[in-house]
Amino acid sequence: MTGHVVVVGGGHAGVELAATVRAADPLAALTILGEEPHLPYHRPPLSKGILGATNPTEDSAVVGLRALKWFEQKDIALRTGDPVVQIDCNQRAVKLSSGAEVAYDQLVLATGSRNLELKVPGGDLPGVHYLRTFDEAVQLRSALRCGGSVVVVGGGFIGLEIAACASKVMRSVTVVEAANRLLPRSVSEVTAVHLSDMHAANGVAVLVGQSVTRIIEDAGRAAGVVTSAGTVLPCDLVVVGIGVVPATELAVSAGLRVDNGVLVDSFLRTSDERISAIGDCAAFPSADRDGGQVRLESVQNAVGHARCLAARLTGTGAPYSAVPWFWTEQYGAKVQMVGLVQGHDRTVVRRSQDNSGFSVFCYAGERLLGVESVNRVRDHVGARALLENRIDLAPELAARPDVDLRQIAHSAPAA
Ligand code: FAD
């Protein structure tokens, strides 16, 4: 018997966990406790479709993860707008900000992550925006209607997606990135250069190797930024996308082990056997990194963790070992990544014969770490199969667009 499973956080991980437990155990008692006032929603559209949407009444259709009726039909208790403020591990109960207490047999932390704040003078002025929640997306969309100029601080995926959306409505868009190139930890140089060129072709200026040191104030609002190189960029609004920190406050105060995320074992169990952690907030042993802990921020990771944990809570379960993948969309281009390419020392590029897309195979020695595909969905699907089957495709085969990756993945003996 599963008992009462209480999930803290109604995001991708929390909702998938409840759905998967319910599918396996019709009798489990399930509760999701959410801090936000809304029904659970998809985050990826917040920096894509939602920002450009002209009919905001369609928002809930675009972003809703499940309708209220679904939670009722599945007998999943959903409490929104009432954050959990404390875990009592001895009593096996959580306390909510309203004062209510909820007892659990199994507690699941699916608290996600929070935006890293830009701690510079003027960083808290009106006109400085962040993007993590639905409410922030609606505010940013409304601010972008001014049509003036915007500086996006941070050239990560979210910053670049915001820049791409803003370029359609703003007179001037500048991205300021502290590293020497875009996305240094996430993608190869080949893909980074391609993205940078795409932004340039759409009129977005990208400044790399400069960090923002100050926000300029005018009439009580953000009116520009100053960079470490002394560059002054006047603007009407600033959007900050400089990364996130895992939401671990509850775990820390409960005395759970935390180190850049709630530390879990390969079964997603924290240092308290009745408490698990999944999604953005969890640091778990990487199947590929010689046992090192890794923390990932992606829908695939959140959903994969949720399914893995649900299997353990309702049966025997198995260690989490999924190959990570991620996607971004900018200017209509679909960029899909599989594997973790940090530490690669060689790349092999395969281009479509009609030049409409390409894939970058990233190797460390002979080992295939990951593959990035731009408008090459077939390559992405094939590369996932290769990595799932641990096949280090020979570089000379990787370069040939006629080579069917899926066929190799399913026919070659695993390395
Ligand atoms: P979240 O979805 O962040 O959900 C956690 C929830 O827990 C939040 O609602 C939070 O309010 C709640 N919570 C926190 N603390 C408490 C508490 N004490 N009590 C109750 N509730 C609490 N990933 C991709 O793979 N592809 C993309 O294209 C992509 N685009 C993105 C665009 C944007 C703008 C953002 C912000 C993220 C994007 N991501 C993307 C990342 C992806 O959305 C996250 O990795 C995913 O949402 C993680 O799911 P989660 O359930 O772990 O956390």
Side-chain angles (χ1 to χ4, degrees):
M1 228 186 75
T2 316
H4 188 194
V5 180
V6 173
V7 186
V8 187
H12 286 272
V15 173
E16 184 69 22
L17 185 276
T20 320
V21 169
R22 173 56 74 236
D25 182 351
L27 299 179
L30 286 164
T31 301
I32 298 177
L33 303 170
E35 149 186 84
E36 296 186 65
H38 309 288
L39 279 175
Y41 58 87
H42 288 274
R43 283 185 205 281
L46 302 184
S47 51
K48 303 175 184 76
I50 286 282
L51 284 185
T54 46
N55 184 358
T57 54
E58 290 167 4
D59 284 353
S60 59
V62 177
V63 299
L65 265 173
R66 304 279 188 174
L68 183 57
K69 205 166 169 197
W70 180 86
F71 291 96
E72 290 164 1
Q73 282 167 348
K74 296 289 173 187
D75 194 18
I76 296 170
L78 174 67
R79 190 165 182 152
T80 54
D82 195 1
V84 173
V85 292
Q86 198 188 333
I87 305 171
D88 184 334
C89 301
N90 295 325
Q91 296 296 319
R92 287 192 210 139
V94 292
K95 191 168 180 190
L96 311 190
S97 92
S98 61
E101 289 195 9
V102 180
Y104 63 81
D105 294 301
Q106 289 289 338
L107 184 68
V108 180
L109 298 178
T111 47
S113 45
R114 306 194 195 281
N115 286 320
L116 206 53
E117 287 174 25
L118 181 65
K119 299 230 188 269
V120 299
D124 53 358
L125 282 168
V128 177
H129 292 257
Y130 287 82
L131 180 56
R132 173 115 213 120
T133 64
F134 178 75
D135 292 341
E136 286 169 339
V138 171
Q139 280 164 19
L140 178 57
R141 175 172 63 197
S142 153
L144 289 171
R145 290 214 180 97
C146 75
S149 54
V150 55
V151 171
V152 178
V153 187
F157 288 117
I158 291 176
L160 294 177
E161 288 176 0
I162 293 169
C165 292
S167 72
K168 295 188 186 118
V169 288
M170 297 292 276
R171 181 171 35 81
S172 135
V173 182
T174 306
V175 176
V176 181
E177 165 57 48
N180 290 333
R181 68 163 172 90
L182 297 177
L183 299 160
R185 286 184 309 278
S186 317
V187 300
S188 67
E189 183 143 18
V190 181
T191 301
V193 168
H194 180 78
L195 290 173
S196 192
D197 289 349
M198 246 171 26
H199 282 275
N202 285 278
V204 172
V206 177
L207 304 183
V208 293
Q210 300 185 36
S211 51
V212 167
T213 54
R214 186 162 71 84
I215 311 275
I216 300 166
E217 176 180 347
D218 185 30
R221 289 186 57 79
V225 308
V226 181
T227 76
S228 51
T231 311
V232 177
L233 300 165
C235 62
D236 299 294
L237 64 137
V238 177
V239 189
V240 181
I242 54 173
V244 297
V245 285
T248 56
E249 316 83 31
L250 285 175
V252 169
S253 61
L256 302 179
R257 289 181 61 221
V258 170
D259 181 7
N260 181 32
V262 186
L263 288 174
V264 292
D265 64 15
S266 55
F267 290 86
L268 308 170
R269 233 178 334 233
T270 70
S271 43
D272 179 322
E273 62 173 7
R274 294 272 178 169
I275 307 179
S276 305
I278 56 175
D280 277 18
C281 72
F284 61 100
S286 161
D288 268 346
R289 298 202 163 185
D290 305 325
Q293 298 290 124
V294 64
R295 199 180 61 72
L296 300 175
E297 294 141 23
S298 75
V299 171
Q300 172 276 326
N301 183 64
V303 169
H305 275 181
R307 291 179 184 166
C308 173
L309 175 59
R312 170 164 65 79
L313 295 180
T314 57
T316 45
Y320 183 72
S321 62
V323 174
W325 54 266
F326 191 81
W327 81 96
T328 178
E329 283 164 29
Q330 295 167 36
Y331 307 108
K334 189 159 184 112
V335 185
Q336 296 165 290
M337 296 139 276
V338 56
L340 300 175
V341 301
Q342 202 177 3
H344 70 273
D345 53 28
R346 172 160 70 135
T347 55
V348 174
V349 181
R350 81 155 46 188
R351 290 191 187 278
S352 309
Q353 268 137 358
D354 62 1
N355 225 12
S356 58
F358 64 90
S359 290
V360 186
F361 292 69
C362 301
Y363 291 88
E366 300 301 310
R367 190 155 160 230
L368 181 62
L369 296 185
V371 180
E372 299 150 359
S373 302
V374 179
N375 295 330
R376 293 274 299 179
V377 176
R378 207 179 152 80
D379 281 358
H380 174 70
V381 173
R384 268 163 65 176
L386 284 175
L387 287 158
E388 276 158 14
N389 291 328
R390 295 180 177 266
I391 291 165
D392 296 312
L393 184 68
E396 54 278 16
L397 291 181
R400 283 178 36 194
D402 59 312
V403 168
D404 186 333
L405 302 179
R406 281 184 76 184
Q407 199 182 20
I408 294 183
H410 294 299
S411 58

